[in-house]
Amino acid sequence: MALINTKEMLMKAYEGGYAVGAFNINNMEIIQGVTEAAAELKAPLILQASAGARKYAKPAYLRALARAACEDLGIDFALHLDHGADFETCRECIDTGFTSVMIDCSSHPFEANIAETKKVVEYAHARGVTVEAELGTLAGIEDAVSVDAEKALYTDPDEVEEFVKSTGVDSLAIAIGTSHGAYKFKPGEDPHLRFDILEEVARRLPGFPIVLHGASSVPQEYVRQINATGGALKDAIGIPEEQLRQAARGAVCKINIDSDIRLALTAGIRKVMFEQPDAFDPRTYLKVARENVKTIVKHKIKNVLGCEGKA
Ligand code: G3H
Ligand code: 13P
Ligand code: ZN
């Protein structure tokens, strides 16, 4: 079994009216929890690593752990670079075994975004690697950089055809109301996706896979569990899962989830520490945390992505 690129899986997702989950990985327990969930539900899968993840776990460990999961579970999935900042970062990942990369120059001017993305596409495609790029800016925190909600910009549908045509990119992340991190919206706010923008983008790019970042929904049960065991998370909510499911029925073929995994993992560790104050064997609490990761990923596959049985 092998690491594969995202070309075929995203095309199948488009045709099938579902999305593939792209889950952020930072350690062995997350990789095991995510891959076991996908294997058991026969779901297509993308594991993705941010710059922060590569700094924390080291790329060699992440690659080896991902390959170990392919071998252990007998499944194929993609290993994707999340939010690659520039050509050099993408090149390094392509040269060392990533099967897909994101070049994120969404904060640069349109022409500069096109130029850097095109460079990455040429290098990646010559090596069988797929490329995601982004137009528009999401609010929230990614790689410790915070973007104010006021500075976040929805994707302009007028730009997407020229961008995709001039770069040759394989998928496009757009900003339609999602945001990064665990503090997305305050309770009482009305988080919603801009389906009007999504539909207009889809009309202009028929058959082309769209990506949603910042798609964690902040499960309240985990927030409550963390706070009931001494945590101090602020109250927050995400985009309702039914809206994400609706987007996945249309042109959205890849949905990124990181924060919900972090919440599931942390809730598991805190629960054990709280209930068993004498626990000090990491296997005791990480086992529960890993099981929580598996549970949340299965929930996403069934209720948000709609990709059970599509691998
Ligand atoms: O989009 C950002 C991801 O959630 C990665 O977060 O940079 O803290 O690893 P990170
Ligand atoms: P969340 O913070 O909503 O999980 O988004 C993750 C993401 O978009 C990774 O690229
Ligand atoms: Zn993201």
Side-chain angles (χ1 to χ4, degrees):
M1 304 320 284
L3 296 175
I4 53 174
N5 71 28
T6 61
K7 188 84 191 166
E8 200 185 317
M9 69 170 91
L10 295 189
M11 283 304 160
K12 277 167 75 180
Y14 193 100
E15 284 155 20
Y18 62 87
V20 180
F23 299 96
N24 285 73
I25 54 168
N26 287 285
N27 65 12
M28 183 186 78
E29 284 74 17
I30 295 175
I31 292 176
Q32 290 178 335
V34 171
T35 53
E36 283 171 22
E40 284 176 25
L41 296 183
K42 300 195 180 346
L45 176 67
I46 299 168
L47 294 189
Q48 58 187 13
S50 67
R54 293 186 313 121
K55 194 168 163 207
Y56 170 76
K58 294 191 182 174
Y61 287 86
L62 292 176
R63 285 193 307 269
L65 285 166
R67 289 201 186 103
C70 287
E71 184 191 320
D72 179 45
L73 299 166
I75 55 173
D76 296 333
F77 55 83
L79 181 61
H80 174 79
L81 167 67
D82 193 25
H83 294 285
D86 49 34
F87 173 78
E88 275 313 312
T89 309
C90 294
R91 191 181 58 76
E92 191 188 312
C93 288
I94 293 165
D95 289 351
T96 54
F98 279 62
T99 53
S100 177
V101 292
M102 175 189 192
I103 171 72
D104 182 2
C105 291
S106 56
S107 59
H108 297 18
F110 185 66
E111 295 303 336
N113 189 356
I114 287 185
E116 194 77 349
T117 301
K118 192 164 185 259
K119 210 167 134 190
V120 173
V121 168
E122 279 163 12
Y123 192 83
H125 283 183
R127 290 155 183 82
V129 170
T130 37
V131 182
E132 170 187 333
E134 179 167 329
L135 268 182
T137 315
L138 270 68
I141 296 176
E142 82 197 28
D143 279 328
V145 179
S146 173
V147 179
D148 291 344
E150 303 90 75
K151 293 210 185 104
L153 292 175
Y154 292 116
T155 301
D156 179 356
D158 281 344
E159 291 183 344
V160 299
E161 285 162 286
E162 185 187 344
F163 186 85
V164 167
K165 209 185 251 174
S166 355
T167 58
V169 78
D170 302 288
S171 61
L172 183 68
I174 61 170
I176 55 168
T178 55
S179 51
H180 287 112
Y183 299 129
K184 297 175 189 295
F185 301 93
K186 297 195 180 77
E189 283 183 336
D190 171 32
H192 59 274
L193 294 180
R194 287 285 304 270
F195 282 100
D196 56 330
I197 299 179
L198 177 59
E199 275 154 30
E200 187 53 26
V201 168
R203 196 181 68 75
R204 306 226 186 175
L205 298 174
F208 187 81
I210 297 302
V211 179
L212 278 193
H213 282 244
S216 280
S217 294
V218 196
Q220 297 299 297
E221 81 221 66
Y222 290 136
V223 173
R224 272 196 296 274
Q225 204 171 86
I226 290 168
N227 286 346
T229 51
L233 293 179
K234 288 182 248 171
D235 281 339
I237 52 174
I239 298 278
E241 289 186 335
E242 314 81 72
Q243 290 191 36
L244 296 164
R245 179 72 198 97
Q246 192 184 331
R249 283 195 192 93
V252 170
C253 301
K254 172 176 179 274
I255 290 189
N256 287 11
I257 297 167
D258 185 357
S259 298
D260 285 358
I261 290 181
R262 297 177 184 199
L263 291 168
L265 192 89
T266 304
I269 293 173
R270 278 196 168 276
K271 185 172 187 291
V272 176
M273 292 299 197
F274 188 75
E275 290 174 357
Q276 303 173 48
D278 60 340
F280 71 98
D281 183 338
R283 291 170 296 190
T284 308
Y285 48 86
L286 290 177
K287 192 174 167 190
V288 174
R290 181 174 61 190
E291 206 52 38
N292 267 12
V293 171
K294 194 167 163 181
T295 303
I296 189 80
V297 171
K298 280 189 170 179
H299 170 86
K300 298 290 176 183
I301 289 170
K302 287 173 190 250
N303 300 290
V304 173
L305 304 161
C307 64
E308 182 177 2
K310 307 290 187 187

